[in-house]
Amino acid sequence: MQFTSERRLDDGVLERGFTLGEIPGLLWTPGSASVPAPLILLGHPPLGLRRMYPRLAARAQHSAAQGFATATIELPGSGDRPRWPAVEQARADLRRAMEAGEPVGDEIVDALVLPLVDRAVPEWQAALDALLALPEIGGPVAYSGGVISIGIRLALVEPRISAAVLFAGSLVPRAMFEEARRVTIPLHVLLQWDDEGNDRQAALDLFDAFGSEEKSLHANMGGHTGVPQHAGDSAAQFFTRHLS
C-alpha cells in the first residue's frame, strides 16, 4: 500500500488516498483516535470513486464520530481503472432490457454480477491485509453497503469480517442465494420499499435465505435515494454493538 494524498476534513478526520498495485482507494481515520480503531469497509456501486465521493465521505465522517476507521477501493472496471468490455456489454444489455420493459434474464444478471464479485472480493481481501497492517487500524472489521452480492461473498469467505450492513438490491444471481444460506455473521439489511430499480419480493427472498441467527430487515418507505436519516442512525448503532 502506498499513500498518495493526505488532508484533514473539517471535523478533524484524516483522509488519505492510497494505491494498492493498480487499485486506488481512500482511508479515513478519526481525528482523536488514541488506540487502533475498528474498521468498516465501505462498499459502493460501480460508478467510480470520484462520482461516489460525497456520499462515501459523509458515511466515513459519520463513522469516525463513532470512533471507527473506514476505507474503500475502486471496483474493477470503474473510475480510472481499465475498461472491462464483457461487463460493459452486460450493462448495455441490462439497459436495453429495462428501457424496453422486458424482464431481466438470469443470463444478463450473471454476466453483470458474477465476474465483478469474483474479481472484487480478492481485491477487498488484499486491501484488508494492507489496512490491518497499519498501526492505527485494529479489529474487528465490518462491511457496509455497496453491491450486495460482493457483501454476501465477503461475509461468507472472509473470517475477519464480523458483521455487515447490506443495502437490498434485486440484481442478485441465483448462485448468490446459495452462498447467502451459508452466511452466519450478524446482518443489518436496509430496504427502500418503493425502490424503482428493485424487485421487492426478490429482496425479501434474499433476506429470508441468509443463514445468520442475528439478522434484521429495516424497510422504509420511499425510493432508492430516499433513505431517511434514522436508517443511518440505526446502522450506526448496529456497528457500535458489534465493533466497540
Side-chain angles (χ1 to χ4, degrees), residues 63-223:
S63 296
Q66 307 298 316
F68 304 137
T70 50
T72 192
I73 57 174
E74 189 72 87
L75 291 174
S78 296
D80 295 328
R81 295 189 63 181
R83 298 296 92 194
W84 197 352
V87 171
E88 289 183 350
Q89 181 60 54
R91 289 173 182 164
D93 292 341
L94 173 66
R95 285 194 298 270
R96 276 196 295 271
M98 296 181 71
E99 289 170 0
E102 300 172 354
V104 179
D106 289 345
E107 67 282 357
I108 294 178
V109 174
D110 289 354
L112 180 66
V113 177
L114 291 178
L116 179 62
V117 172
D118 290 342
R119 189 177 295 185
V121 167
E123 293 180 350
W124 273 112
Q125 291 179 294
L128 185 55
D129 290 341
L131 291 162
L132 289 178
L134 298 173
E136 62 269 37
I137 304 295
V141 180
Y143 178 83
S144 174
V147 178
I148 194 169
S149 291
I150 292 177
I152 293 169
R153 177 70 59 80
L154 272 171
L156 178 62
V157 305
E158 180 46 71
R160 292 171 293 184
I161 293 179
S162 58
V165 169
L166 302 177
F167 300 168
S170 57
L171 295 177
V172 181
R174 294 183 184 275
M176 299 308 301
F177 279 74
E178 295 305 315
E179 295 193 22
R181 291 184 175 92
R182 294 185 282 137
V183 170
T184 59
I185 64 172
L187 297 176
H188 179 107
V189 182
L190 298 176
L191 170 64
Q192 285 300 104
W193 200 249
D194 305 303
D195 190 338
E196 58 280 3
N198 187 32
D199 183 323
R200 184 191 304 162
Q201 188 58 54
L204 295 174
D205 290 344
L206 179 60
F207 177 79
D208 189 51
F210 284 118
S212 303
E213 289 187 7
E214 181 187 338
K215 60 179 181 179
S216 58
L217 179 68
H218 297 253
N220 294 284
M221 305 302 292

Side-chain angles (χ1 to χ4, degrees), residues 40-72:
I40 301 174
L41 303 177
L42 296 182
H44 54 89
L47 301 175
L49 286 182
R50 291 180 185 176
R51 181 172 173 183
M52 292 301 301
Y53 175 80
R55 290 165 60 184
L56 289 166
R59 290 164 62 192
Q61 289 174 282
H62 191 265
S63 296
Q66 307 298 316
F68 304 137
T70 50
T72 192

